[in-house]
Amino acid sequence: QLQLQESGPGLVMSSETLSLTCTVSGVSISGDNFFWGWIRQPPGRGLEWIGSTYQKGDVKYNPSLRRRVTISVDTSKNQLSLKLFSVTAADTAVYYCAREPAGDSGGFLDSWGQGVLVTVSS
Amino acid sequence: DIQMTQFPSTLSASVGDRVTITCRASETINGWLAWYQQKPGKAPKLLIEKVSTLDSGVPSRFSGSGSETEFTLTISSLQPEDSAIYFCQQYKHYSSLTFGGGTKVEI
């Protein structure tokens, strides 16, 4: 059974780097059929897609965050990682990892982790 | 980016009511639309992909329809467990996924 579990510091200082890990169990992250991505949700607000990566190196980012974000995959650990640089209070959010079917009909998010709240403090 | 607008932002209804939520895209999205349900403190859950295809295990009282730029999520007979926030998401632009602002359904 597929499970995604986010982990990382719940508090990050302003101007520093937010680093999160998503551990995937129940399926290999190196398979051909899925992207693996990150979505965030500021408290009480809507969802914002951050970006997704495909194990063969294809990575796509939200244009509004592209300059500050890196998403990568560690296939040996079956993990997905997120780095968001130069954070501000506006980056305070619940961060989710999720699976996205690849291919012509993909693009929706069919499995999600439980999310982790990251607060940016000055 | 394709902008997704949902309305209403909140709706109140009674058990057994038929409920409709609308999602409008800023340009045609060729049916690449999904709906999610999010309960308090939980991750969103996929309900529908490709406008009208229910994900596995989703009750048949949920349905989706629409085309081009306007889409609807309908709950045919509202149940207490349907109290949640519902989001639409477009995936026409594979490299830029965007969500609607959400509709809170209160019972």
Side-chain angles (χ1 to χ4, degrees):
Chain A
Q1 181 179 353
L2 174 64
Q3 289 190 324
L4 298 89
Q5 178 68 60
E6 304 88 349
S7 60
L11 182 66
V12 180
M13 302 306 292
S14 182
S15 80
E16 297 190 344
T17 297
L18 180 158
S19 295
L20 295 175
T21 298
C22 174
T23 300
V24 178
S25 58
V27 68
S28 173
I29 204 170
S30 60
D32 288 348
N33 297 325
F34 299 100
F35 278 84
W36 301 89
W38 292 92
I39 301 91
R40 69 180 183 178
Q41 184 174 36
R45 299 182 62 185
L47 298 164
E48 180 179 36
W49 173 73
I50 298 171
S52 307
T53 185
Y54 189 57
Q55 68 89 16
K56 293 187 176 180
D58 186 10
V59 183
K60 48 180 180 168
Y61 296 119
N62 186 321
S64 69
L65 296 171
R66 178 186 308 273
R67 293 185 179 182
R68 296 197 294 128
V69 66
T70 298
I71 294 173
S72 59
V73 167
D74 185 337
T75 55
S76 68
K77 296 181 179 179
N78 223 40
Q79 290 178 337
L80 173 71
S81 69
L82 169 71
K83 292 188 183 298
L84 183 63
F85 307 100
S86 303
V87 298
T88 69
D91 296 311
T92 294
V94 175
Y95 286 76
Y96 297 100
C97 59
R99 186 180 77 171
E100 175 192 332
D104 292 344
S105 60
F108 54 92
L109 301 153
D110 68 353
S111 293
W112 296 63
Q114 66 184 24
V116 60
L117 174 63
V118 179
T119 301
V120 177
S121 173
S122 56
Chain B
D1 282 1
I2 298 176
Q3 307 302 315
M4 305 298 291
T5 303
Q6 273 183 251
F7 51 90
S9 56
T10 305
L11 71 85
S12 296
S14 300
V15 173
D17 284 354
R18 182 181 182 88
V19 167
T20 298
I21 299 167
T22 300
C23 180
R24 184 170 291 156
S26 59
E27 63 182 74
T28 183
I29 56 173
N30 299 334
W32 301 115
L33 184 98
W35 289 97
Y36 301 86
Q37 177 193 64
Q38 185 179 32
K39 296 186 176 181
K42 300 293 186 181
K45 171 191 170 187
L46 177 67
L47 290 178
I48 290 173
E49 56 164 291
K50 201 62 168 76
V51 178
S52 60
T53 301
L54 265 61
D55 196 34
S56 175
V58 174
S60 58
R61 64 181 179 273
F62 291 92
S63 64
S65 64
S67 63
E68 298 192 0
T69 62
E70 189 142 325
F71 303 88
T72 58
L73 172 69
T74 299
I75 308 173
S76 61
S77 178
L78 194 65
Q79 299 301 303
E81 60 267 31
D82 301 334
S83 179
I85 301 175
Y86 294 84
F87 294 95
C88 62
Q89 177 229 327
Q90 68 78 23
Y91 49 105
K92 174 191 177 184
H93 285 181
Y94 145 95
S95 60
S96 184
L97 311 179
T98 52
F99 294 88
T103 296
K104 185 176 183 179
V105 174
E106 298 175 332
I107 300 176

